[in-house]
């Protein structure tokens, strides 16, 4: 099979190499998927830049999201048949013509959804569902701030917040993305390049601020987000994109910029910071991943979750796909189609 290896850390255009390698075999509890499309995640960019601790040693296959048909089932897998169209989370290995997944991390593709769109529903939508339904339990009337709202996870968070009847603030870094946020039903889109998001939120809420902040940017974005939290507010910290384009001193500054928070000063105003890392959840409680994936499918069926495919690339364009995501040009999901 063809597989696209990350052979070194660095630039998007010179770090990948397509190789011919043997097809893997499904072990106990696993499925082998003939991949129609695989998705990119911002974590792939971090891995290429050498900033993703969980990434396998080089040369390696990245890739968390695939969609395609089941080619082979390992022992003990029930509820699926060879030939089923499925989407799945892969623990790396997705950048290939065939990929292995744990059956727990696989679901049939809803009929209305293309394989390209299905790749968004696994990691990005499951992360968003876990963050907004599982750990923060959004309620009607909650005010929510979504950082990087036009991205893959951001789009899913906005769709869930809209479904729950929340007042939605979301940030993005270009006028195209602001137009997209308006189309998504965001009540208060904020272009953080020309507006200060704290000031813009406060213009609407007064000193009350918001109930929930979803932040995957990190650095001073977290510290500023904390100043916006109401009593009872939660800040979900699930990424650190701010670290990605900095030298060692810039990274150190970004880490310090997050701020330091003593539990007493969270308890007294009744505020919480919640860290989310789906890989750790998958290690510790894989049934939560299965639950989130099933809920995501249910919400697609209800028309709540509608994945947005920003751009589809060919396998030979993997460098361009990475560059597109890294340079913040993408809206929604970036996909590679075999
Ligand atoms: N913790 C977890 O388990 C988990 C799971 C999935 C994803 N994530 C994290 O969630 C975030 C979103 O992931 P995604 O795959 O959906 O990506 P994405 O949001 O589609 O793309 C990243 C976006 O982040 C914004 N951004 C802000 N600062 C940036 C910077 N310094 N460099 C590059 N982009 C920057 C850009 O939007 P603007 O142009 O609007 O700034 C960019 O388009 C990432 O940080 C990712 O690592 C975490």
């Amino acid at each position: 099979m063809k597989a696209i290896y990350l052979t070194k850390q660095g630039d998007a255009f010179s770090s990948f190499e397509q190789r011919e390698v043997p097809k893997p075999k499904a072990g106990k509890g696993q499925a082998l998927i003939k991949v129609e499309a695989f998705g990119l995640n911002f974590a792939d960019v971090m891995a290429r830049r050498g900033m993703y601790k969980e990434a396998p040693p080089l040369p390696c296959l990245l890739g968390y999201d695939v969609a395609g048909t089941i080619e082979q089932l390992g022992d003990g897998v029930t509820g699926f048949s060879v030939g089923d169209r499925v989407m799945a989370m892969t623990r790396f290995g997705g950048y290939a013509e065939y990929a292995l997944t744990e059956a727990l991390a696989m679901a049939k593709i809803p009929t209305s959804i293309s394989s390209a769109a299905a790749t968004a529903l696994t990691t990005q939508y499951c992360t968003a569902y876990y963050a907004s339904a599982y750990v923060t339990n959004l309620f009607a009337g909650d005010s929510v701030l979504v950082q990087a709202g036009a991205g893959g996870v951001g789009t899913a968070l906005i769709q869930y917040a809209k479904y729950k009847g929340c007042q939605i603030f979301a940030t993005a870094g270009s006028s195209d993305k602001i137009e997209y946020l308006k189309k998504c039903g965001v009540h208060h889109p904020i272009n953080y390049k020309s507006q200060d998001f704290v000031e813009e939120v406060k213009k609407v809420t007064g000193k009350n601020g918001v109930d929930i902040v979803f932040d995957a940017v990190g650095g001073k974005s977290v510290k500023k987000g904390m100043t916006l939290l109401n009593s009872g507010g939660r800040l979900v910290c699930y990424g650190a994109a701010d670290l990605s384009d900095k030298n060692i001193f810039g990274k150190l500054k970004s880490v310090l910029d997050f701020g330091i928070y003593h539990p007493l000063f969270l308890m007294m105003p009744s505020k919480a910071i919640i860290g989310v890392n789906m890989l750790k959840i998958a290690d510790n409680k894989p049934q939560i991943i299965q639950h989130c994936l099933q809920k995501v499918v249910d919400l697609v069926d209800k028309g709540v979750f509608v994945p947005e495919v920003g751009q589809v690339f060919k396998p030979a364009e993997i460098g361009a796909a990475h560059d597109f995501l890294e340079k913040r040009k993408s809206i929604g999901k970036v996909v590679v189609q075999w």
Side-chain angles (χ1 to χ4, degrees):
M1 68 167 187
K2 294 186 182 68
I4 303 171
Y5 275 81
L6 179 70
T7 54
K8 58 180 182 182
Q9 284 160 1
D11 171 62
F13 292 97
S14 59
S15 302
F16 293 98
E17 190 181 297
Q18 189 167 300
R19 295 180 179 176
E20 198 65 39
V21 293
K23 227 196 296 190
K25 285 195 177 68
K28 192 166 178 239
Q30 292 184 323
L32 178 68
I33 298 171
K34 182 172 188 333
V35 178
E36 289 167 24
F38 62 84
L40 268 60
N41 284 281
F42 198 73
D44 301 7
V45 172
M46 299 290 264
R48 173 170 54 73
R49 289 287 176 196
M51 282 184 283
Y52 198 59
K53 191 158 84 48
E54 278 94 355
L58 296 172
C60 70
L61 284 178
L62 301 177
Y64 283 122
D65 310 310
V66 299
T69 49
I70 297 180
E71 175 86 1
Q72 188 196 20
L73 287 170
D75 290 345
V77 180
T78 55
F80 294 96
S81 307
V82 168
D84 282 348
R85 280 192 82 231
V86 290
M87 55 196 191
M89 286 186 205
T90 48
R91 188 68 172 260
F92 307 105
Y95 287 20
E97 282 184 304
Y98 292 86
L100 284 177
T101 182
E102 298 300 320
L104 276 179
M106 172 169 80
K108 290 179 189 161
I109 297 179
T111 46
S112 58
I113 299 293
S114 69
S115 53
T119 64
L121 295 175
T122 52
T123 303
Q124 291 173 334
Y125 273 74
C126 283
T127 303
Y129 182 81
Y130 180 75
S132 58
Y134 211 97
V135 300
T136 53
N137 193 15
L138 300 187
F139 273 100
D142 280 345
S143 49
V144 169
L145 170 65
V146 181
Q147 301 285 16
V153 182
T155 295
L157 287 168
I158 288 166
Q159 290 175 359
Y160 191 78
K162 197 173 149 195
Y163 165 61
K164 283 290 171 178
C166 300
Q167 182 189 34
I168 310 170
F169 298 82
T171 64
S174 71
S175 50
D176 286 359
K177 291 183 180 184
I178 293 295
E179 286 312 307
Y180 171 73
L181 293 182
K182 287 183 190 161
K183 203 184 83 188
C184 290
V186 170
H187 306 101
H188 307 287
I190 302 165
N191 186 335
Y192 69 82
K193 293 244 169 90
S194 55
Q195 298 167 296
D196 180 84
F197 74 82
V198 172
E199 278 173 25
E200 292 307 310
V201 171
K202 283 191 170 165
K203 272 185 200 165
V204 180
T205 65
K207 59 177 178 353
N208 282 344
V210 296
D211 299 302
I212 296 109
V213 177
F214 294 106
D215 190 296
V217 176
K220 63 176 183 293
S221 169
V222 166
K223 195 189 266 174
K224 289 173 72 175
M226 284 300 285
T227 69
L228 280 175
L229 277 192
N230 275 330
S231 289
R234 287 88 83 203
L235 185 143
V236 182
C237 198
Y238 67 99
D242 189 52
L243 291 174
S244 67
D245 52 1
K246 299 208 157 42
N247 64 21
I248 183 74
F249 301 108
K251 283 189 179 67
L252 190 61
K253 179 171 182 324
S254 180
V255 168
L256 294 172
D257 279 347
F258 272 77
I260 293 167
Y261 305 92
H262 192 284
L264 259 183
F265 296 103
L266 295 173
M267 184 189 74
M268 286 188 296
S270 196
K271 296 181 183 183
I273 304 173
I274 304 168
V276 167
N277 180 344
M278 296 304 277
L279 288 184
K280 297 296 176 196
I281 304 297
D283 286 342
N284 187 34
K285 291 217 165 132
Q287 66 276 21
I288 292 182
I289 301 293
Q290 186 183 36
H291 170 80
C292 290
L293 200 48
Q294 204 44 61
K295 288 291 182 187
V296 166
V297 171
D298 293 348
L299 289 168
V300 171
D301 289 341
K302 280 189 179 164
V304 172
F305 279 158
V306 183
E308 173 82 15
V309 176
Q311 188 102 351
V312 180
F313 292 85
K314 298 190 179 84
E317 297 168 330
I318 188 71
H322 259 247
D323 188 63
F324 191 70
L325 183 57
E326 183 172 23
K327 300 265 172 71
R328 313 185 192 192
K329 294 177 188 161
S330 62
I331 287 178
K333 186 70 172 169
V334 179
V335 180
V336 173
Q337 188 110 30
W338 283 103

